[in-house]
Amino acid sequence: MTAAQPSSDPSLRRYLEHPRGGPTVLRIVLGTQLRRLREGAGITREAAGDAIRGSHAKISRLELGRVSCKERDVADLLTLYNVTDEAVRDDFLKLARRTSSPGWWHQYNDVLPGWFETHIGLEEAASVIRTYEVQFVPGLLQTADYARAVAQLGHPRSSPEEIERRVQLRVQRQELLTVPDAPRVWAVIDEASLRRPLGGPEVMAGQLRHLLKMAELPNVTLQIAPFSLGGLAAAGGPITILRFLEPDLPDIVYLEQLTSALYLDKRDDVDHYLAVMDRLSAQSESPRESLAILERLLKQGS
């Protein structure tokens, strides 16, 4: 066995025995391991691409976890990287098979854009989810009625059936908050989104009550960024930062746009947005005062 072989790294075995996050995360873990092997063997992406009858771009996509991995390609790459230990090869091939398995969210492919599918997979595997929202309550904390109003606003041409599918998807995502080893969710919500009566006064009142209930969960922290702050450090857009316990998964910044999203994982980019989130949290009301604000908003609306 060569020194480059990952027999001492428990990452593959851990994900095989306790998969979390579905195929999205498994692709990233597998791609990261394959990149380490390639670099350890001193082999270029071009040479690796030739070995699997592809291009260096295909190797790049594979190593970044952007595509599923064929077993044949993984086997050929392991041979190229001089990985001969059968137990190690078997772990890689098992993981490759699982990267093609559909996640639970694939049942919503009719209403789920590809750029958001990645986010759901990462969300499932995250240990910490930090989010700042400007216009809406964060998706993980929305009631079904509020989510329906958001979906109708964002997709005015969708049929009632499609709207309900979007609501079902959002509600099923929220099951993440109460599973064993649930991620910690730390949400900063702009006061404007709480005063905007989306869906009408009754829907908004139900949403405010739901936020108070969600704040009782030990893994949920809520802060409100009040009007009195004036300008905010986030420069206007929503931000989500996902952090993982698994060392093969770097922190990822998710920036959602109208019809697409950006996923940033370069250290400089992540550090910049972490600093922005830290400033937002420092400037916003404390969790205790934020709950008091929610109570006052409820009374004002009643």
Side-chain angles (χ1 to χ4, degrees):
M1 183 186 302
T2 67
Q5 295 188 52
S7 59
S8 61
D9 190 328
S11 297
L12 294 180
R13 176 56 54 186
R14 189 157 53 244
Y15 270 93
L16 286 170
E17 294 176 351
H18 304 287
R20 182 174 175 178
T24 303
V25 170
L26 297 182
R27 289 197 298 265
I28 295 173
V29 171
L30 179 58
T32 299
Q33 292 283 355
L34 289 172
R35 176 181 55 76
R36 289 176 179 171
L37 286 174
R38 178 182 60 76
E39 292 175 347
I43 294 172
T44 66
R45 286 194 179 93
E46 287 77 9
D50 290 341
I52 61 170
R53 302 150 297 281
S55 64
H56 67 90
K58 180 177 180 179
I59 293 296
S60 180
R61 290 193 298 271
L62 190 154
E63 292 181 349
L64 289 171
R66 304 283 164 78
V67 293
S68 59
C69 312
K70 296 179 180 179
E71 283 186 70
R72 175 187 174 185
D73 289 344
V74 172
D76 288 346
L77 289 174
L78 292 175
T79 299
L80 178 66
Y81 303 155
N82 199 29
V83 178
T84 57
D85 184 280
E86 288 301 322
V88 175
R89 290 178 65 93
D90 188 54
D91 282 350
F92 270 93
L93 295 177
K94 285 179 180 177
L95 198 57
R97 283 194 291 273
R98 294 189 183 181
T99 65
S100 299
S101 301
W104 64 260
W105 51 89
H106 284 205
Q107 64 185 299
Y108 295 101
N109 276 350
D110 55 324
V111 294
L112 178 62
W115 52 266
F116 191 66
E117 178 182 336
T118 300
H119 178 66
I120 295 180
L122 293 172
E123 201 174 60
E124 289 271 314
S127 61
V128 179
I129 301 171
R130 298 183 67 180
T131 186
Y132 167 66
E133 274 290 350
V134 186
Q135 292 193 2
F136 305 114
V137 169
L140 287 174
L141 302 174
Q142 294 177 4
T143 65
D145 287 338
Y146 185 93
R148 186 173 297 108
V150 172
Q152 290 169 340
L153 184 65
H155 305 275
R157 298 179 182 177
S158 292
S159 67
E161 292 76 19
E162 289 173 333
I163 294 296
E164 289 308 308
R165 293 278 290 161
R166 296 180 191 280
V167 173
Q168 291 167 13
L169 169 61
R170 184 146 300 187
V171 169
Q172 190 163 349
R173 275 176 61 204
Q174 296 169 356
E175 295 177 7
L176 176 71
L177 297 179
T178 53
V179 299
D181 299 320
R184 179 188 174 196
V185 175
W186 184 356
V188 178
I189 307 174
D190 196 281
E191 183 178 353
S193 67
L194 301 176
R195 290 188 175 275
R196 185 177 295 111
L198 191 61
E202 290 187 9
V203 169
M204 202 64 217
Q207 178 62 68
L208 293 173
R209 286 192 292 268
H210 184 68
L211 286 174
L212 287 167
K213 181 179 179 181
M214 289 295 97
E216 295 175 359
L217 294 175
N219 56 311
V220 175
T221 299
L222 295 183
Q223 288 185 270
I224 294 175
F227 284 138
S228 59
L229 279 181
L232 291 173
I239 302 169
T240 297
I241 303 175
L242 302 113
R243 172 160 288 180
F244 310 89
L245 293 176
E246 176 54 57
D248 283 341
L249 295 173
D251 292 352
I252 293 177
V253 176
Y254 171 75
L255 304 174
E256 185 169 324
Q257 300 169 337
L258 191 60
T259 58
S260 63
L262 295 176
Y263 294 87
L264 309 178
D265 60 5
K266 292 183 179 179
R267 191 69 255 172
D268 288 347
D269 291 335
V270 172
D271 286 345
H272 171 76
Y273 281 97
L274 280 170
V276 168
M277 288 295 292
D278 287 342
R279 289 198 299 273
L280 278 168
S281 299
Q283 292 173 334
S284 298
E285 299 291 355
S286 69
R288 177 177 295 182
E289 179 56 29
S290 294
L291 296 184
I293 292 174
L294 290 174
E295 294 278 10
R296 290 197 293 270
L297 288 173
L298 257 178
K299 290 180 181 178
Q300 291 171 12
S302 61

